[in-house]
Amino acid sequence: MDFALSLDQKGLGKDIQEFSRRFLAPIAAECDEKQEFIPTEIWNQMACLGYCGLPIPLEYGGAGLGALDTLICLEAAGKGGAAAGHLLSWAVSTVLGSIPIIKFGTPEQKELYLPRIANGELICAFCLTEPDAGSDAGSIRTRAERSGDYYVLNGTKAFITNGPIADLCLIFAVTDPDRGSEGISAFLVESSFPGFSRGKQLDKMGIRCSPTGDLILRDCLVPAANRLGPEGQGFKTVAHHTLEWERANFSFFLGVMEYNLQTCIKYARERIQFKRPIARFQAIRHMLAEMRVELDAARLMFYRIGWMIDQGLVPAPVQASSAKYFLTRALKKNADYAVQIHGANGMMKEYPVERTLRDYKIAEIGGGTTQIQLDIIAGNIIKS
Amino acid sequence: MRWIVCIKQVPDTTEIRIDSRTNNLVREGIASIMNPYDCHALEAALQLRDQHGGQVTVVTMGPSQAEECLRDALAMGADEAVLLSDPAFRGADTLATSYTLAAAIRRLAPVQLIFCGKQAIDGDTAQVGPELAEWLGLPHIAGVEYLVVKANNITARREAESEYYLVEANLPALVTISRTMNEPRLPSVWGRLRANRTPITVWTGEDLDIDPNRIGLAGSPTRVKRIFYPQHQRQTQIRQGNAEQLSNWLVKTLAEERLL
Ligand SMILES: Cc1cc2nc3c(=O)[nH]c(=O)nc-3n(C[C@H](O)[C@H](O)[C@@H](O)COP(=O)(O)OP(=O)(O)OC[C@H]3O[C@@H](n4cnc5c(N)ncnc54)[C@H](O)[C@@H]3O)c2cc1C
Ligand SMILES: Cc1cc2nc3c(=O)[nH]c(=O)nc-3n(C[C@H](O)[C@H](O)[C@H](O)COP(=O)(O)OP(=O)(O)OC[C@H]3O[C@@H](n4cnc5c(N)ncnc54)[C@H](O)[C@@H]3O)c2cc1C
């Protein structure tokens, strides 16, 4: 077993952390305040550097990275101090936007979309949740009815990351209502297709740099060639075989935790109370130590998931859900301690740590809630 | 056509530790980076290559770990990298360093233009560039913040305290680059992956036409006798009074301290 990072992983991590420090960290607070995504010129720069196509094969203009390398890149962006919201939107677009196409797309679909995701032209969304189907994602009701060379889609998708800005949406809809989750198919829907519209951008407590919104499909015409994967396999195959990636995507939070920890160490060494740095007090030291231990454990669980995907050892629902479950716990504590160590300053928007205490909640809700992760783990280990 | 960039690996910290016995820098356990000035020098060279063609060759003298900053340079877009590494090079002052670099650059001839950083953030002497030019018998322009290359000629603006100079020279020449010159690019993912797959040329003393008495500690007339942190003292006085009293007091005090 080799725990050392490869030359590529070290180098890519260093570069992306530096990018994040230079370009994303300085805009984090203001974008959080105004609920704004990454400005276009910075997004385009990310595309030029290869960041919008991390896992996309080289022949389609991507960087051709594996899962472990990709998640180390996401982590590095967090370390540089970028807002978690920016990273969530980026990860959803770049990873969840491309992986289903890479795995299940026809050569034409790959040719049509992957190069434009990699060059930053297309921002993507992954659209499962509906107003009445959240944790019970198999109960979605958006309909897709075949009509000649088209499918006609009707329904509403709710709480969609990048909903307000996405150009390409992977939409899950029911093609055969009698077959339950085996009657669900996946569609690549461009925002320019007739019948596609968006709800307004939602006002959120956290992860505000990631635009979230509803999508409304009213007789939306989708070419049959844009169905991704076989009919009826949208949920069972496309969504399920993206699960590990969906969990691994949260790895940017590892970097956010590292950033918080380093910020706290620096602060604790500098802040003097009772005539000594607060870093001398055992209560503070133990908080920092706990932050470090749990970050390390979460990181190892995430690296294992990346490694398992690269080795083809998937599906790995227990390991993937465990990693996300544990990350969420560690993150919640990290965010809480970070504010605590900073005292009153910790609550102030001038300091970067309060944001995580609002942002962490997405990890407990998005991509399957904490309760659902535990359910998946329990279901798999108890097998009844 | 070759554009050469000399880069130095330096410790990435402001808390430099010094070995009290040898008066040398303690490099163990400290993360290293490319000297920031050299990033700007490399950026300048890459831009010229993109305009005029040719290839950018980066050269460093240092221990085997210095390979890391060569990889960074390759990732940014340099075409080839040379590491000058030999236990005999150890302990070099600026004279021995520039002598060794000159021998390497002679092997890389013909060259168009040689770039150095204006200074290194650790040693900070700003001597290596000009000395290197002397060894090679080339004109040099130090502290450059803007330059144009046309045919066999370079025009460069060099910074000075309160003015600047516009200097012309024939090529080949050497320039040392100021940090205000440009914004260094970041490596792309593709650049980084390519860099990790590019072989690095390693030259020892045997690969160079050099006099063994002019390299390393043996070739270094300079000895750093002592390195110390300057003591900064701060004294605060809070005084009250009207504007006239206060300004009189201030002028008097500054004059007494010989600050006026
Ligand atoms: C604190 C300290 C003080 C020192 N004081 C002196 C002194 O007073 N006199 C003295 O002779 N030596 C001194 N040295 C040793 C000196 O730093 C190095 O031995 C010398 O190799 C480089 O000098 P510099 O760092 O000042 O470089 P500078 O001359 O400041 O560097 C200018 C440029 O030269 C190029 N360059 C420098 N070193 C290399 C290299 N190894 N490989 C490739 N390119 C390079 C780079 O482009 C760099 O940007 C000192 C070292 C330290 C750590
Ligand atoms: C900022 C943000 C971005 C999002 N982005 C996307 C996106 O890009 N794409 C997308 O498809 N969705 C997205 N979602 C939706 C998200 O996936 C759902 O919110 C999530 O799956 C939970 O669904 P729900 O909100 O309907 O909660 P519910 O399912 O109504 O759950 C309510 C509570 O009940 C618990 N619960 C539910 N069922 C069980 C059970 N069986 N056992 C125990 N407890 C249970 C839940 O854990 C939760 O605590 C996003 C949500 C947010 C907040």
Side-chain angles (χ1 to χ4, degrees):
Chain A
M1 204 178 285
D2 187 353
F3 287 95
L5 295 184
S6 71
L7 206 56
D8 287 350
Q9 288 158 352
K10 278 190 227 159
L12 293 171
K14 176 160 92 173
D15 297 341
I16 296 187
Q17 183 175 347
E18 175 63 15
F19 178 87
S20 166
R21 195 187 64 76
R22 258 202 243 171
F23 297 102
L24 296 176
I27 60 171
E30 194 182 336
C31 288
D32 179 68
E33 183 72 32
K34 297 188 184 160
Q35 288 216 119
E36 281 174 0
F37 183 55
I38 299 170
T40 311
E41 64 280 10
I42 297 183
W43 178 257
N44 290 342
Q45 208 183 336
M46 290 170 67
C48 288
L49 293 172
Y51 301 171
C52 294
L54 296 174
I56 294 176
L58 291 169
E59 63 264 39
Y60 295 109
L65 300 183
L68 181 54
D69 292 2
T70 299
L71 70 84
I72 285 171
C73 289
L74 299 178
E75 177 191 7
K79 279 190 200 169
H86 285 156
L87 303 181
L88 173 72
S89 273
W90 168 48
V92 164
S93 182
T94 301
V95 177
L96 287 191
S98 68
I99 291 297
I101 303 178
I102 295 167
K103 290 178 77 152
F104 303 106
T106 62
E108 293 75 23
Q109 289 169 339
K110 291 181 184 174
E111 200 59 58
L112 184 58
Y113 293 122
L114 292 179
R116 288 154 71 204
I117 299 174
N119 73 15
E121 186 188 326
L122 299 179
I123 292 180
C124 306
F126 186 90
C127 319
L128 196 53
T129 306
E130 296 180 1
D132 295 319
S135 298
D136 186 8
S139 70
I140 58 168
R141 290 208 294 249
T142 294
R143 272 290 270 150
E145 284 171 292
R146 183 81 186 229
S147 156
D149 287 342
Y150 288 88
Y151 284 90
V152 183
L153 270 60
N154 277 290
T156 302
K157 292 292 173 184
F159 306 117
I160 300 306
T161 296
N162 296 343
I165 55 171
D167 308 288
L168 180 64
C169 302
L170 184 65
I171 292 187
F172 294 87
V174 178
T175 39
D176 186 349
D178 298 331
R179 304 199 56 198
S181 64
E182 287 183 37
I184 295 173
S185 306
F187 298 91
L188 292 162
V189 180
E190 296 181 30
S191 58
S192 58
F193 288 173
F196 177 100
S197 64
R198 313 176 200 265
K200 63 173 185 359
Q201 180 170 339
L202 300 169
D203 189 7
K204 305 194 295 296
M205 64 174 273
I207 211 88
R208 290 168 59 84
C209 294
S210 169
T212 315
D214 296 352
L215 300 177
I216 300 127
L217 306 157
R218 269 196 217 97
D219 292 330
C220 178
L221 275 186
V222 179
N226 275 38
R227 194 190 63 227
L228 185 69
E231 196 166 286
Q233 293 300 310
F235 197 68
K236 283 275 168 238
T237 307
V238 179
H240 264 211
H241 289 252
T242 310
L243 274 185
E244 285 77 16
W245 278 98
E246 197 178 344
R247 314 278 191 252
N249 238 0
F250 282 91
S251 60
F252 62 84
F253 269 129
L254 297 170
V256 171
M257 285 196 272
E258 178 79 56
Y259 178 80
N260 276 348
L261 175 56
Q262 295 310 327
T263 308
C264 286
I265 291 173
K266 186 163 178 286
Y267 187 85
R269 283 170 145 173
E270 285 167 5
R271 172 70 179 169
I272 310 279
Q273 283 297 282
F274 300 98
K275 299 198 177 67
R276 63 188 66 140
I278 60 168
R280 297 265 194 84
F281 302 124
Q282 192 181 52
I284 299 285
R285 299 170 79 81
H286 283 190
M287 277 197 265
L288 293 168
E290 266 185 80
M291 286 164 86
R292 170 65 217 238
V293 170
E294 296 192 9
L295 166 57
D296 236 22
R299 184 182 277 144
L300 288 172
M301 291 174 92
F302 265 76
Y303 285 7
R304 179 175 63 171
I305 275 301
W307 178 82
M308 289 180 87
I309 297 173
D310 289 336
Q311 300 295 315
L313 300 173
V314 283
V318 175
Q319 290 87 344
S321 287
S322 303
K324 179 165 177 267
Y325 167 79
F326 190 81
L327 169 99
T328 302
R329 273 183 38 167
L331 175 63
K332 184 176 180 174
K333 190 187 268 183
N334 175 288
D336 182 32
Y337 282 7
V339 170
Q340 195 63 24
I341 289 167
H342 279 71
N345 281 334
M347 290 182 71
M348 300 302 132
K349 298 236 170 168
E350 269 172 75
Y351 285 79
V353 290
E354 60 83 33
R355 203 172 55 235
T356 318
L357 201 47
R358 296 181 283 110
D359 286 349
Y360 91 86
K361 207 65 198 167
I362 185 59
E364 276 212 310
I365 294 174
T369 65
T370 293
Q371 292 70 34
I372 294 300
Q373 305 301 337
L374 288 175
D375 247 31
I376 293 173
I377 298 165
N380 275 279
I381 61 174
I382 301 167
K383 301 208 190 298
S384 70
Chain B
M1 192 162 47
R2 259 206 176 97
W3 313 93
I4 303 241
V5 187
C6 297
I7 61 182
K8 184 183 185 191
Q9 191 178 41
V10 295
D12 179 15
T13 172
T14 40
E15 297 165 43
I16 296 177
R17 281 189 305 134
I18 294 152
D19 185 322
S20 51
R21 280 181 308 117
T22 61
N23 274 337
N24 276 331
L25 279 184
V26 179
R27 292 183 186 278
E28 288 77 36
I30 295 180
S32 297
I33 53 167
M34 188 191 306
N35 176 33
Y37 286 84
D38 303 351
C39 281
H40 295 268
L42 176 57
E43 176 63 37
L46 293 171
Q47 286 180 17
L48 282 179
R49 177 203 59 190
D50 295 345
Q51 271 171 36
H52 299 273
Q55 58 175 334
V56 171
T57 303
V58 288
V59 183
T60 191
M61 181 181 89
S64 56
Q65 304 90 278
E67 182 187 322
E68 196 184 329
C69 72
L70 291 178
R71 295 241 177 259
D72 288 346
L74 290 166
M76 281 173 69
D79 301 285
E80 59 173 357
V82 181
L83 172 63
L84 309 178
S85 203
D86 191 320
F89 297 157
R90 215 180 285 157
D93 67 359
T94 62
L95 191 68
T97 300
S98 55
Y99 175 80
T100 313
L101 288 172
I105 289 170
R106 277 193 205 100
R107 262 200 80 166
L108 294 166
V111 305
Q112 187 82 347
L113 188 57
I114 301 164
F115 296 79
C116 288
K118 194 182 82 169
Q119 68 212 64
I121 60 167
D122 56 348
D124 218 10
T125 65
Q127 292 171 5
V128 171
E131 288 175 3
L132 176 55
E134 290 306 308
W135 286 115
L136 293 168
L138 298 179
H140 84 263
I141 311 172
V144 169
E145 49 182 18
Y146 173 78
L147 64 81
V148 185
V149 165
K150 262 199 204 120
N152 251 357
N153 190 273
I154 174 173
T155 308
R157 196 170 72 207
R158 60 176 299 247
E159 57 183 14
E161 230 153 67
S162 55
E163 69 264 286
Y164 63 82
Y165 299 89
L166 216 49
V167 184
E168 262 187 42
N170 287 330
L171 296 180
L174 182 145
V175 285
T176 77
I177 299 294
S178 140
R179 292 186 73 173
T180 50
M181 171 135 183
N182 52 36
E183 170 86 1
R185 67 193 67 186
L186 280 169
S188 71
V189 175
W190 302 285
R192 177 58 71 179
L193 299 178
R194 179 174 25 76
N196 286 343
R197 285 150 191 79
T198 305
I200 285 174
T201 306
V202 182
W203 286 341
T204 64
E206 293 190 353
D207 298 299
L208 302 175
D209 182 14
I210 43 175
D211 174 353
N213 296 318
R214 304 216 74 140
I215 59 167
L217 205 54
S220 297
T222 321
R223 289 282 178 282
V224 179
K225 293 192 75 171
R226 189 163 86 89
I227 302 178
F228 58 94
Y229 295 106
Q231 289 291 322
H232 291 289
Q233 275 187 4
R234 212 187 268 182
Q235 290 171 343
T236 311
Q237 287 196 36
I238 297 174
R239 299 188 70 94
Q240 291 183 329
N242 64 31
E244 197 184 336
Q245 291 165 337
L246 288 178
S247 46
N248 283 342
W249 171 81
L250 186 63
V251 171
K252 187 169 145 264
T253 311
L254 291 177
E256 279 169 5
E257 298 283 336
R258 296 176 185 280
L259 292 169
L260 278 186

